[in-house]
Amino acid sequence: MLRGLALARAAVDRAAHRRTDDDWLDKAWRDPATRVLLINDGRAELSGDPPALVFHPPGGLPAAERFFLGADDDDGAFFAVEMLESHSSDSWEGIRNVGALLSARDAGLLVHAVALANWHATHTHCPRCGGPTTVAAAGHLRRCPRDDSEHYPRTDPAVIMTVIDSDDRLLLGSQSQWPEGRFSTLAGFVEPGESLEAAVRREVAEEVGIVVGAVRYLGSQPWPFPSSLMVGFEATADSVDVEFVDGEIAQARWFTRPDLLAAVTSGEVRLSPRVSIARQLIENWYGEPLPDPR
Ligand SMILES: [Zn+2]
């Protein structure tokens, strides 16, 4: 299994039973010890080194827009509020930049808050009747007042996989629109009616023309850009000849461990950042962390 998945370390109890307990929520919202995370366009306010989330007391913040994120062992509540005005301060950062540096508690709260905010921003209307919907369940539900339908936050599963041949070499690909030298694992969205294992086999066949045998689950990580869940696998290649079928991948290379270390050390190959599950999958095959040359 993967270790070090930066965005999969959630440590706060989501306390889902409180989402519809309006008395408890209102009491928590009046408690000055309650911690509110302000979110703006996927970013949050940070302070310190290593960075930590900045929380505010609820006083003066719009209660109607509160998303309940959970409670700690002492019943201390965490909420998020999406701020509509933009903030230009340098202390605001997104998950990609700081996700690997935050504590498990803060990383989990930030991905939860950003995933909810992304969903609300793009799902304001009812898919049945087109009417505007209202927020319910402390941010975890939208309801249509016209037809009483309920709409839950969506998560889009995507598979991401290392492809390894019988000589224990790793296949990495480079997309045509990526900067020169950037290589990573293959990945793609799961289609309707498809299992995760079938999605791994289909994506690898479409992108590089390789036939996949065994598929082994290694771990998953939320990736709220805007709403993905990356599900990580190791796929055993039953063939080695690369053919670019769908045109998404422009280059692909088989690496031995010494090949990859040399290419990364020289700067010829640049890998995904440490916060990504792609990096964790590659290092799981390699056996230890790989360097990040400047
Ligand atoms: Zn409706």
Side-chain angles (χ1 to χ4, degrees):
M1 298 294 281
L2 299 181
R3 270 166 276 174
L5 287 170
L7 304 183
R9 297 172 293 145
V12 169
D13 180 356
R14 292 188 170 215
H17 62 291
R18 300 293 195 197
R19 292 174 191 163
T20 50
D21 186 343
D22 288 335
D23 290 343
W24 188 90
L25 290 168
D26 287 341
K27 184 163 166 270
W29 196 253
R30 288 192 304 270
D31 184 346
T34 287
R35 286 152 287 187
V36 183
L37 175 64
L38 304 182
I39 297 290
N40 175 247
D41 195 21
R43 297 174 309 146
E45 201 178 353
L46 296 154
S47 72
D49 184 16
L53 295 177
V54 173
F55 295 100
H56 296 264
L61 294 169
E65 308 299 328
R66 67 193 182 196
F67 306 153
F68 176 58
L69 300 179
D72 61 20
D73 292 342
D74 304 323
D75 235 17
F78 292 93
F79 290 86
V81 169
E82 168 86 23
M83 306 300 286
L84 296 179
E85 71 268 37
S86 65
H87 292 261
S88 57
S89 161
D90 288 341
S91 63
W92 287 69
E93 284 283 1
I95 292 168
R96 283 180 215 256
N97 290 343
V98 296
L101 306 174
L102 294 173
S103 68
R105 185 199 71 174
D106 284 5
L109 290 169
L110 184 56
V111 287
H112 189 181
V114 168
L116 279 177
N118 288 346
W119 175 67
H120 285 287
T122 51
H123 291 77
T124 55
H125 286 69
C126 176
R128 286 196 195 172
C129 73
T133 50
T134 57
V135 177
H140 292 77
L141 175 69
R142 296 187 74 97
R143 189 173 280 127
C144 176
R146 277 194 214 166
D147 56 27
D148 222 24
S149 60
E150 295 186 337
H151 308 281
Y152 289 87
R154 63 181 280 176
T155 295
D156 303 319
V159 291
I160 181 164
M161 47 274 167
T162 42
V163 177
I164 298 169
D165 75 0
S166 57
D167 293 328
D168 206 18
R169 295 182 304 167
L170 172 68
L171 183 76
L172 295 179
S174 184
Q175 293 187 14
S176 46
Q177 73 269 31
W178 285 356
E180 179 74 23
R182 178 167 169 209
F183 278 81
S184 193
T185 51
L186 307 180
F189 284 107
V190 180
E191 295 192 342
E194 188 174 48
S195 71
L196 297 169
E197 295 85 349
V200 169
R201 293 195 170 88
R202 177 183 52 76
E203 283 290 340
V204 174
E206 284 177 3
E207 294 187 350
V208 291
I210 299 272
V211 177
V212 163
V215 171
R216 188 164 71 98
Y217 173 73
L218 290 180
S220 68
Q221 169 164 283
W223 193 246
F225 310 109
S227 56
S228 297
L229 173 69
M230 306 302 294
V231 189
F233 293 91
E234 181 183 274
T236 302
D238 282 352
S239 66
V240 294
D241 291 334
V242 170
E243 183 192 354
F244 303 114
V245 180
D246 67 3
E248 188 177 327
I249 298 292
Q251 289 182 72
R253 278 173 63 183
W254 289 103
F255 291 91
T256 63
R257 288 180 182 80
D259 285 345
L260 185 60
L261 178 62
V264 166
T265 304
S266 71
E268 177 197 353
V269 162
R270 273 171 292 107
L271 301 176
S272 308
R274 295 191 183 281
V275 70
S276 66
I277 188 172
R279 180 63 168 262
Q280 299 298 321
L281 284 164
I282 292 166
E283 292 181 346
N284 182 66
W285 164 81
Y286 186 74
E288 58 183 274
L290 283 154
D292 264 325
R294 293 172 61 82

